[in-house]
Amino acid sequence: TVVIRQTVFRLPPSDDSHPLMLYVFAKCPSLISPLFVCQGSDSELKGEKDGASDSEAKVDSGVPEVPVPADDTPVVLNKALSGLSSRWKNWWIRGILTLAMISFFFLIIYLGPMVLMMIVLIVQIKCFQEIITIGYNVYHSYHLPWFRTLSWYFLLCVNYFFYGETVTDYFFTLVQREEPLRILSKYHRFISFALYLTGFCMFVLSLVKKHYRLQFYMFGWTHVTLLIVVTQSHLIIHNLFEGMIWFIVPISCVICNDIMAYMFGFFFGRTPLIKLSPKKTWEGFIGGLFSTIVFGIMFSYLMAGYRYFVCPVEFNNDSNRFQVDCEPSELFQLQDYILPGVLQSFTGWSTVRLYPFQIHSIALSSFASIVGPFGGFFASGFKRAFKIKDFANTIPGHGGIMDRFDCQYLMATFVNVYIASFIRGPNPSKVIQQLLALRVDQQLHIFNSLKAHLTEKGLLPALEGAAA
Amino acid sequence: MIRERETAAAVHDAAAPSVLQSYRSRSIGASGSGDASRVIYRYDRSTRGKTRLTKQRRPCIPAGLSFSFFWHLLQQKKLSGQIMEPTSKQQQQSGEHALSGTPMVAPQRTLIPSLFCLYFVFILSLFRLYFVFISSLFCLYSVFIPSLFRLYFVFILYLFRLYFVFISWKNYWIRGVLSVAMISGFFVIIYMGPVTLILVVMTVQIKCFQEIITIGYRVYHSYELPWFRTLSWYFLICVNYFFYGETVADYFGALVQREEPLQFLARYHRFISFALYLAGFCMFVLTLVKKHYRLQFYMFAWTHVTLLIVVTQSHLVIQNLFEGMIWFIVPISIVICNDIMAYLFGFFFGRTPLIKLSPKKTWEGFIGGFFGTLVFGFILAHLLSQFQNFVCPVGFNSETNRFSVECEPSDIFVMQEYTLPVALQNTLRRWKKPCDDMYPFQIHSVFLSSFGSLIGPFGGFFASGFKRAFKIKDFANTIPGHGGIMDRFDCQYLMATFTHVYIASFIRGPNPSKVLQQLLLLHPAQQLGIFHTLHSHLRERGMLPPPAAAAQAQ
């Protein structure tokens, strides 16, 4: 076992054809599994030699020769678990890291919205880096001129654009106060477009004769990664600003679904779900669905009682910090619901006091259980397509950050669309902002229409009485 | 390492059985070199005219002719029986203006059939039957020609089209004629009004998407992937639905509020489009096939990047259009003029090469094109700013259910006095041109022209690099002598995005009807708060009469 381990870990990354490694892979797949920290099907790793990683002639055959990441389990854990056999060691590492990540999650929630935003930003950058690194390894294009710089530059541009839009929306008063910020926000789109164009022109100028196709591939790869990773992390931040509960509950639903589906699959699993992930079963899927719904209801009941989670995050101009203090909206106030007859006879209660948010959480949980796994399948398909085991090896026992967050992204987008469609109306401060930017005669026109509308509704006392 | 890969690819090319085998071997033979390490996919297959009239293409001739005649018959019927009283001498003289944007002329009954016929002809023509395109485009000229000569003209044009069959497309004369035809087609489309413009933009977008996706299929030999063609078109429909829905909800607010199903669709628009997109995503995941994972992911990414480039920018074009047709016409004309000027200057004075990507471009052409475009943009802006038809935002008139372009021109289209520097004044006086006043829009056109000349070519270099990367000569062969639609529109996209950003940053404020719409959606308490804020703001500005006078007026 020791010999094989050494052989594998001395593999030079850029070598296309290492016969010994291929021999090992082909002949002894079972010996490989202890070396990889995540269990999975090894049949895809039986490599055939691939001379062209971006070959357009073959129908997807061949290993792209992405280097196997070395085993960098922390030494502490290694020492602590040295007594156990390799298989159990992996389970323990995985379990410990899971607990560590969940505790870390609670910690940053406790620390507040600012820290959450920072963490989201860091996660986004790390995911971007992982996917881009995979692209470099697939295309052997690590040494393309300028390209690493350009990828990071595009990330910066798109982040600047999105964060600028967010800042302008939520920090309106702060921005109006400071003169340079005001100019930046007024011409924000123009400035971000100019920055992006600079990157685009740099890309065109850096096209080198023999590497055109690789450069275009990397350009496309960068843009798709930006589309997936950056837009969705910004939707997460938008959700966060609605109220931390809109951030916590979806993420918890996805985590719970993962764990529950695993448990149900472990105990009752029989019929396979999809060929992409052979370890997932229908029993796990359905069990996960029901338990996630129940978990979602209970968890949102817990959270909806606290103002800290429920209030929209606002920026207090006077104290220059974030505050979460408000009157909870109707969604987070207990109301009486009449149970349908079936449940009445079952539980003996006639009415039940629920937060309306719990009804919404049912929708969120069902999405997380039914459509969320498709994000996971997509990532599995991606890993199989490029013949990698994990996105990276950041988290020992789990793989890269992207492995943990692949289902979250679809969920974040769904929550954002859900809020925009069913919960939130337009933001009043934003409307005021737009109003004040109009021409004066247009403002007058709107004022008159609004006055007529409000008088019609009876909200405005008659004009004679109003001393305003 | 790259060369080895290419050799390996070529070896596998020879062994792989595929539908494209015979085509490819024919093209390799036609390229003459027989060099197995460079596979060239040639799209100009028409070195012999006879190949155009193969069996499956023969129906195009009677189909095209019949559609043209059908359109003509419609026009005839309108002229003879049912035209409304023309309200101006100009309309009396020139007969029918069936599809213009002005609300006064065309009877409702023939508008939709003619539009449908026209659109159908366009779609057919761009997908395989470009003969139909040419013949029908020339048919549009018959609007200007008295009915007596119309049929003869069509017949002559049909003969003219047959002539194309027997000559090579490399002839520069053909290229010139097609350029003139396209520019005239551009004018005709502008003449026909905003609805036609939107339809043409949509058609161009669909065609560009199809061209790029076809290149992707050729590159990856993935034409027979299960479901993938369906999925690409499905994603195109989804993204188009999302964008058009947002545009429609913005501009057709009144119409949407009237119809109940439209109201439901508008309210939950984002949710519905997201659900549609998700359905496509889940279908993609479910169609992943064991041996083709990587190809499928490549095509998925290819589709998305194409959508990002093509669809978002065509929607920016349409949003520019709604600002006023001049914001659509001037940027496109600037790009066309820059191409032509750079080519002419390069032809006469060209010496130092500009960039390795496009060896035929020169610095002299670049700089000459820059100045030429500046002057051209300036003059064109001056010409077009006088017409209300171009300058006014396109509004939808709810009563007559059509687009109207009538308004009070905004400040930038009103002549103002500028004092030019003295040197420039003297020069202009010498050329006997008015130099005292000009439209502010002309200043904006200077910025648009400089962008179009300096940064616009980068879009062209990007497309050249793309073609070199994938070893294709042209994107497709839709337009004889020019290549595909994408070849013509590659510089336009950057320009359209820039124009949109320019308008959003420097010209246009927020749309007042949209703001009102949002106001009405708010909570009543919030509405009251905003009302009071606005009240005090307006009072400060002095726009409102003091409260005592208002109370007395009530």
Side-chain angles (χ1 to χ4, degrees), chain A residues 44 51 53 56 59-60 468, chain B residues 5 219 221 290-291 294 539:
Chain A
E44 295 299 312
S53 55
E56 64 271 18
V59 170
D60 194 35
Chain B
R5 257 187 248 131
V219 167
H221 301 268
K290 197 167 149 85
K291 289 216 173 304
R294 201 192 305 199
R539 177 105 59 73

Side-chain angles (χ1 to χ4, degrees), chain B residues 342-356:
Chain B
Y343 179 77
L344 287 175
F345 275 87
F347 189 77
F348 289 117
F349 308 115
R351 207 148 288 132
T352 35
L354 179 61
I355 190 173
K356 275 198 293 261

Side-chain angles (χ1 to χ4, degrees), chain A residues 44 51-53 56-60 139 197 211 213 216-217 378 381-382 426 434 438 440 447 464 468, chain B residues 2 5 12 219-221 290-294 297-298 451 462 465-466 469 510 518 522 535 539 541 543 554:
Chain A
E44 295 299 312
S53 55
E56 64 271 18
K58 295 193 195 181
V59 170
D60 194 35
Y139 292 114
L197 263 192
H211 303 284
R213 197 190 297 213
F216 272 94
Y217 281 159
F378 186 83
F382 181 84
Q434 286 182 324
L438 285 174
V440 195
F447 176 74
E464 290 85 60
Chain B
I2 296 174
R5 257 187 248 131
H12 280 280
V219 167
Y220 292 115
H221 301 268
K290 197 167 149 85
K291 289 216 173 304
H292 302 283
Y293 288 144
R294 201 192 305 199
F297 271 94
Y298 281 159
F451 181 86
F462 186 83
F466 182 84
Q518 282 183 326
L522 283 176
H535 189 96
R539 177 105 59 73
R541 290 283 193 99
M543 293 296 298
Q554 294 300 317

Side-chain angles (χ1 to χ4, degrees), chain B residues 352-511:
Chain B
T352 35
L354 179 61
I355 190 173
K356 275 198 293 261
L357 262 181
S358 303
K360 299 206 293 188
K361 305 230 191 286
T362 55
W363 273 104
E364 289 84 4
F366 186 70
I367 296 177
F370 174 66
F371 287 111
T373 313
L374 268 184
V375 171
F376 171 80
F378 200 76
I379 297 174
L380 184 73
H382 182 87
L383 267 176
L384 290 181
S385 303
Q386 298 159 359
F387 297 97
Q388 236 186 30
N389 194 27
F390 295 131
V391 156
C392 292
V394 175
F396 186 73
N397 198 343
S398 333
E399 289 96 47
T400 57
N401 267 5
R402 46 187 314 118
F403 287 102
S404 64
V405 272
E406 271 179 8
C407 66
E408 189 63 37
S410 81
D411 288 337
I412 54 177
F413 300 107
V414 172
M415 280 266 201
Q416 287 176 17
E417 297 231 342
Y418 286 93
T419 44
L420 293 174
V422 181
L424 208 54
Q425 273 189 8
N426 290 336
T427 331
L428 285 177
R429 273 212 197 94
R430 219 180 322 136
W431 289 344
K432 294 193 185 49
K433 283 206 191 309
C435 58
D436 280 341
D437 46 3
M438 55 181 183
Y439 297 98
F441 180 70
Q442 292 179 276
I443 316 273
H444 292 301
S445 80
V446 167
F447 289 112
L448 293 179
S449 316
S450 17
F451 181 86
S453 326
L454 295 175
I455 315 276
F458 278 91
F461 299 150
F462 186 83
S464 301
F466 182 84
K467 287 190 278 191
R468 271 165 206 266
F470 297 102
K471 300 206 174 49
I472 53 180
K473 192 92 188 67
D474 287 315
F475 278 90
N477 206 22
T478 316
I479 309 177
H482 287 270
I485 298 267
M486 195 64 200
D487 284 298
R488 291 300 95 212
F489 284 86
D490 51 17
C491 301
Q492 305 280 0
Y493 280 129
L494 267 185
M495 190 73 200
T497 318
F498 174 75
T499 314
H500 181 84
V501 171
Y502 189 83
I503 293 176
S505 304
F506 299 111
I507 313 280
R508 172 186 67 178
N511 192 4

Side-chain angles (χ1 to χ4, degrees), chain B residues 37 48 64 88 113 172 206 310 313 316 356 367 387 420 438 467 513:
Chain B
S37 69
R48 272 190 276 304
S88 77
Y172 282 111
I206 294 175
V310 172
Q313 298 190 26
L316 295 178
K356 275 198 293 261
I367 296 177
F387 297 97
L420 293 174
M438 55 181 183
K467 287 190 278 191
S513 55

Side-chain angles (χ1 to χ4, degrees), chain A residues 7-50:
Chain A
T7 308
V8 168
F9 292 151
R10 245 191 268 135
L11 185 72
S14 59
D15 197 304
D16 274 355
S17 57
H18 201 275
L20 186 58
M21 171 176 159
L22 297 170
Y23 174 81
V24 163
F25 278 168
K27 295 293 180 187
C28 326
S30 57
L31 288 172
I32 304 302
S33 44
L35 302 175
F36 292 98
V37 288
C38 286
Q39 308 295 323
S41 119
D42 300 313
S43 55
E44 295 299 312
L45 291 172
K46 280 194 254 254
E48 298 133 40
K49 180 174 156 145
D50 177 26

Side-chain angles (χ1 to χ4, degrees), chain B residues 247-262:
Chain B
T247 322
V248 164
D250 281 349
Y251 287 104
F252 296 134
L255 173 67
V256 166
Q257 295 299 341
R258 239 174 13 202
E259 312 276 344
E260 184 56 36
L262 282 186

